[in-house]
Amino acid sequence: MTALLRQENDAWSLRSAHAAARRGPLTTVEAALLDFVRPGGTLAPALTGPEWERVVALAVREQVSPLVLAALRERHGAAPASALTALEQVSLRTAAHGAAAYAQLTAVLQCLRAAGVAAALIKGAALARFAYGDSALRPFNDLDLLISRRDYPAADRAVREAGYVTLQVGRRSLGAGEQVYWDPSWRHVPIDLHWRFDADPLRLGLDYDAMLRRACAGTIDAEPVLVLSPADTLVALSAHFVKHLWGSRPRLRYLRDMAEVVRRHRVDWGAVASAAVEAPRARSPLRLALAAAACLTDASVPAEVFRALAPSRGTRVDRYLRGLVCRRILRRDTPFAALIQVAAVRWLDRDVWDVYPRLTAAVLDTQGRRVFSRLRRHRRPRGRQAASSARRTA
């Protein structure tokens, strides 16, 4: 009887958190964008011309413009011609960019396979093709591949021999768990090799070799490719979500990604819950991201999953944190506000005390590098600024 009452209380708490988040202090523009991104939302709201401009700007910033355009077409929304034109231009660029990137992916996978490296396609490129089923709906800026840490030397040689270059590998790159490679001619998108998703000071302790062993086989343009299982994809998305929460970067798209994975694939929810047992520090990131996806994008997550991921302490802290994350999904928190939220996540997972000084040091380091970068840009001659801007645009 006590267990039954506890389960009912947990379910009620989850529903209360979702309702409170929807009643949060969202602006008209934010509420409209969230409605467009949520599958099966209502009809397009009545917005003024300036509000439509802000919706488009916010959609571009959050990298969900194609989803907004698709929602407007599906719901026959009466959007201004200028807004539709802007969204269509972004969507066309996304589709062209995706087609070129997948053609590039074929050559990259072949050179890695020749080097004996097993690589799984992850993040945007994998989600666009295998979760959304339409690469025009999910923008991505690079090709992310997960490899085993022991295969990194062979993968590094293979990608370099294919003509890509990178900065000198240092402790920061190895600590981040990834290495980025560029085409010197800038005709191709960057290649990002990962051997883990989590980076200092947000390591979750996931078993990435096991993820690679569980990866599913697929094809892109007749080229065989590995992709993470649906359960591991949700775990990966939760890691990316908290990582972007930490960096105050766009994260709404990861919630829609979760909704698409749940909607289009049969998820082994037992494997999702087991991930929190095998990597206890992944428990709160999983719970936080899945709760936000259920709240804001109507992802169908079974109640028993939330019960399995329930924190062992701090129920009120957890409830407040879930509501806060939903209410501020479109806001850019200061580094110290992000620090408090991530520190609360680690506290809920009973992390060791030395993580908090490391989190604080990481915030101070990030802020210091940002200030230094701004000073360099301010002191840089105008001609060099223009050249640098042209390279970034290219």
Side-chain angles (χ1 to χ4, degrees), residues 201-202 242 245-246 284 288 313 317 321 335-353 355-360 363:
L202 296 175
V242 173
L245 173 66
W246 167 254
S284 287
L288 193 67
R313 65 176 176 180
V317 173
L321 187 60
F336 290 100
L339 167 66
I340 292 172
Q341 295 180 60
V342 173
V345 169
R346 305 309 290 260
W347 178 81
L348 289 169
D349 288 335
R350 295 183 178 274
D351 208 344
V352 293
W353 281 103
V355 72
Y356 305 113
R358 287 191 284 117
L359 289 172
T360 305
V363 168

Side-chain angles (χ1 to χ4, degrees), residues 135-166:
S135 57
L137 290 178
R138 179 47 163 92
F140 55 92
N141 301 317
D142 53 11
L143 293 172
D144 295 274
L145 296 165
L146 178 66
I147 62 173
S148 173
R149 177 66 181 86
R150 62 177 177 272
D151 287 337
Y152 170 69
D156 177 70
R157 287 193 299 271
V159 174
R160 290 176 185 274
E161 289 173 359
Y164 294 88
V165 298
T166 188

Side-chain angles (χ1 to χ4, degrees), residues 146-389:
L146 178 66
I147 62 173
S148 173
R149 177 66 181 86
R150 62 177 177 272
D151 287 337
Y152 170 69
D156 177 70
R157 287 193 299 271
V159 174
R160 290 176 185 274
E161 289 173 359
Y164 294 88
V165 298
T166 188
L167 298 176
Q168 183 177 2
V169 180
R171 290 185 178 180
R172 186 179 298 276
S173 298
L174 295 175
E178 63 181 310
Q179 184 64 46
V180 184
Y181 300 81
W182 294 274
D183 174 12
S185 67
W186 292 98
R187 289 195 299 265
H188 298 106
V189 301
I191 304 296
D192 199 350
L193 293 182
H194 300 256
W195 46 94
R196 65 171 182 268
F197 309 131
D198 51 347
D200 293 330
L202 296 175
R203 291 206 186 186
L204 303 180
L206 300 170
D207 188 343
Y208 294 103
D209 286 336
M211 285 187 174
L212 284 170
R213 289 193 297 269
R214 292 191 295 264
C216 307
T219 58
I220 294 180
D221 299 334
E223 180 68 23
V225 61
L226 292 176
V227 291
L228 298 183
S229 69
D232 285 333
T233 298
L234 292 178
V235 174
L237 287 171
S238 70
H240 297 316
F241 181 81
V242 173
K243 184 178 179 179
H244 282 232
L245 173 66
W246 167 254
S248 294
R249 289 181 287 171
R251 50 195 179 274
L252 175 62
R253 56 184 172 164
Y254 291 123
L255 302 183
R256 177 60 187 263
D257 293 343
M258 286 185 156
E260 291 298 317
V261 170
V262 172
R263 188 159 65 101
R264 295 177 180 269
H265 296 279
R266 180 176 296 178
V267 178
D268 182 354
W269 292 108
V272 174
S274 295
V277 176
E278 297 167 1
R281 284 176 292 179
R283 177 181 296 272
S284 287
L286 264 171
R287 183 178 62 256
L288 193 67
L290 288 172
C295 172
L296 299 176
T297 61
D298 292 340
S300 181
V301 182
E304 56 266 23
V305 174
F306 288 111
R307 288 194 290 270
L309 297 174
S312 59
R313 65 176 176 180
T315 303
R316 291 184 179 179
V317 173
D318 177 61
R319 188 182 308 149
Y320 174 79
L321 187 60
R322 280 186 279 143
L324 180 67
V325 167
C326 290
R327 289 193 302 272
R328 299 191 61 83
I329 190 67
L330 296 175
R331 309 288 174 86
R332 292 295 164 265
D333 289 321
T334 66
F336 290 100
L339 167 66
I340 292 172
Q341 295 180 60
V342 173
V345 169
R346 305 309 290 260
W347 178 81
L348 289 169
D349 288 335
R350 295 183 178 274
D351 208 344
V352 293
W353 281 103
D354 67 349
V355 72
Y356 305 113
R358 287 191 284 117
L359 289 172
T360 305
V363 168
L364 295 175
D365 179 62
T366 301
Q367 285 295 92
R369 284 188 283 113
R370 285 177 179 173
V371 171
F372 181 70
S373 178
R374 289 171 184 169
L375 289 175
R376 288 187 62 187
R377 287 199 301 268
H378 180 71
R379 294 177 179 176
R380 182 182 299 174
R382 292 186 178 180
R384 291 179 62 189
Q385 285 184 0
S388 177
S389 176

